[in-house]
Structures are given as structure tokens and as C-alpha cells.
Amino acid sequence: MSGQKQWPTQYPARRAMVVGNWKMHGDVALTRAFAAEAARQPNTRDSAEVILAPPVPFLDITRNMLSGMWSLAAQDCHWAQSGAYTGEISAEMLAEFGCGYVIVGHSERRILMGETDEYVQGKIEAALAAGLTPIMCIGETLAQHQAQETFITLASQLYHGLPSSAVQREVVIAYEPVWAIGSGLTPTPEEVQDCHDHIRTFLCTHWNAQKGESARVLYGGSVKPDNVADFLTLADVDGVLVGGASLDPTAFADIVRSAFAL
Ligand code: PGA
């Protein structure tokens, strides 16, 4: 696979990114196993960036164990800086915990917690204000996919979810077809490239060409060691957001190695 990827050298911000989203899984033992794996992996952030998103109670221990080898993300944040929001966590708190990134608008939150594009926009604004880089998830449901409403759904989520402040700062976009998450199903590489091209074209129009072309756009949904290269080598795919396979240190390490081999 090495050498197949043609990175756009005029946009150096675009380099491979692997994000492991543990969702509501994991424990301290798993954190230890990942720290051991991280120590064995290449550690040159120039060629690829690896980010772990464990549940909040494990952020601190993950940060200490990773000791800067990989970056840290939270899986969500609140849109307010502080306040009477029992159970919620602000972007500023996450920044203080050592997070550099926060996942926002994951389909599980949109569907299970009723998060709207307006919530997503508020969360991205809060993340940017706290100095975090948001990883904004977008994607169509199976019904939208079957009705050939994928492009319109993606454009609508981007249009309504991106705050105007995002033009000044980095927002990573993660394209995750809802029907591919945790299902073992994936779109074909051609379909993924088409969607990423569509997303990038939208960003170039919505922001400007320089910013749209520089944006990192990840693919997520049933990414595994044996299919990751199919996605990572696509022209407009800058990395992957991994759920299930990120809970297995060996599988995740294989995915990380694929990113560094590009
Ligand atoms: P999956 O999850 O890799 O288990 O499909 C991806 C995600 O939800 O980000």
C-alpha cells in the first residue's frame, strides 16, 4: 500500500489521522494495553496523527499513560462554558484535562440523545472557544441512503452545523454513514470517495478553496485492519474514525501502521 497515496503537498495540514472512539467501553486495563501499544508505534507526528477518545473517567489516566505519544479526544462536550447542566462536561474542562480534540455530532448522540444540528453548532463553537479541535460527524441513515439523499443530507448537516467561527479555525469532518457504524457493512471505496469529494466541494464553497482543500475529512463506519487501506488511499480521505476495532489494541495498532505506511 505504501506510496499509493498522493497527498496534496500544497496543503500540508492534510496528513493521516486515526481516531479511536471507545464509546462507552473500556477500563484502566485497556488503557494500559493501549499505552504499551503506543510505545511500540512510530511516533513521528509529521506523517500521521493518532488520537484516542476514551470515556471521560479514563481521560486523565490515558493522558498520563500515553505521555504525549498519541493525542487525546473526548467523545462529546456541552455547548455552554459552565452552568447548571447536571451530568454535562464543558469543552474548557476537557481542554484542562489535556484533550486536543472533541468528537461532536456522532450519530449515536444525534439519534439516541436527540442532538440537532443546532446543538452540534453550539458544541463546535464551544470547542473552538476552548482551544479544542472539533471532529464533526455527519452521515446519512440507511433510509436516506436508499432514497439517494446522501449528498443533500451531508450538505444540510454541514450547512446547519458549522458555526461561522469555524472559518478561522480547524474543524475535522468525519463522514460516517449511519448504516455502516458497527454493522460490518461499508460503502464501496468509490462511494466513499464520491461523498468525500462532495464534502470537500461543499467546504470550498462554504468557506473558501484554500480552507476547504486543507480540511481533514475522515471516513468512519466498520473500519477494520483488513479494509482500512481501501479507504486511506482514496484521494479525499485523510484518515479514519474507528469504533469497534479501536477496542482491540492489536487491531488498532494494525490500523495505525497502515496510516503511517501511506
Ligand atoms: P465502528 O464505529 O467502527 O464500530 O463502525 C465507528 C464510529 O461509531 O465512530
Side-chain angles (χ1 to χ4, degrees):
M1 182 186 69
S2 183
Q4 290 174 11
K5 177 85 175 185
Q6 298 293 317
W7 287 104
T9 49
Q10 66 275 41
Y11 304 111
R14 286 186 45 197
R15 61 208 165 100
M17 188 176 194
V18 177
V19 185
N21 173 16
W22 288 10
K23 309 190 181 188
M24 202 172 72
H25 298 287
D27 51 23
V28 174
L30 189 68
T31 305
R32 286 208 179 93
F34 270 87
E37 201 48 71
R40 281 194 283 271
Q41 296 298 317
N43 193 18
T44 49
R45 290 194 179 193
D46 293 348
S47 54
E49 190 173 9
V50 185
I51 298 161
L52 276 190
V56 166
F58 306 128
L59 280 175
D60 201 34
I61 187 169
T62 306
R63 181 195 58 187
N64 291 335
M65 284 191 185
L66 289 178
S67 53
M69 288 178 289
W70 292 349
S71 304
L72 206 57
Q75 298 174 14
D76 183 38
C77 68
H78 197 263
W79 60 81
Q81 206 177 345
S82 62
Y85 299 103
T86 301
E88 295 292 340
I89 296 168
S90 75
E92 302 223 336
M93 293 169 187
L94 297 171
E96 210 170 341
F97 255 123
C99 288
Y101 295 86
V102 58
I103 298 170
V104 173
H106 191 282
S107 61
E108 284 152 13
R109 296 205 61 85
R110 289 179 190 261
I111 294 167
L112 301 174
M113 315 290 172
E115 283 195 6
T116 62
D117 290 329
E118 288 67 35
Y119 285 7
V120 172
Q121 188 185 77
K123 290 175 178 211
I124 293 175
E125 263 172 354
L128 292 173
L132 301 179
T133 300
I135 301 169
M136 178 195 194
C137 298
I138 57 173
E140 83 284 4
T141 62
L142 183 60
Q144 289 165 330
H145 180 73
Q146 288 169 338
Q148 302 192 332
E149 291 170 358
T150 298
F151 286 179
I152 189 82
T153 303
L154 299 179
S156 172
Q157 289 174 335
L158 288 168
Y159 182 80
H160 294 105
L162 284 171
S164 54
S165 56
V167 72
Q168 328 275 5
R169 302 277 306 282
E170 182 178 18
V171 177
V172 176
I173 307 295
Y175 168 53
E176 297 206 302
V178 178
W179 52 273
I181 293 177
S183 65
L185 303 172
T186 61
T188 65
E190 292 72 26
E191 286 171 323
V192 172
Q193 171 55 29
D194 275 358
C195 287
H196 280 234
D197 180 49
H198 178 76
I199 291 166
R200 200 174 295 289
T201 302
F202 176 94
L203 296 177
C204 288
T205 312
H206 187 70
W207 289 330
N208 56 63
Q210 167 73 24
K211 176 131 176 81
E213 293 291 352
S214 307
R216 286 188 282 184
V217 185
L218 315 181
Y219 168 73
S222 295
V223 172
K224 309 276 183 250
D226 59 2
N227 66 13
V228 65
D230 298 342
F231 302 118
L232 280 177
T233 47
L234 297 170
D236 282 296
V237 173
D238 305 307
V240 284
L241 177 49
V242 187
S246 78
L247 292 167
D248 174 348
T250 309
F252 191 67
D254 282 348
I255 291 171
V256 168
R257 267 192 292 277
S258 296
F260 275 100
L262 289 171

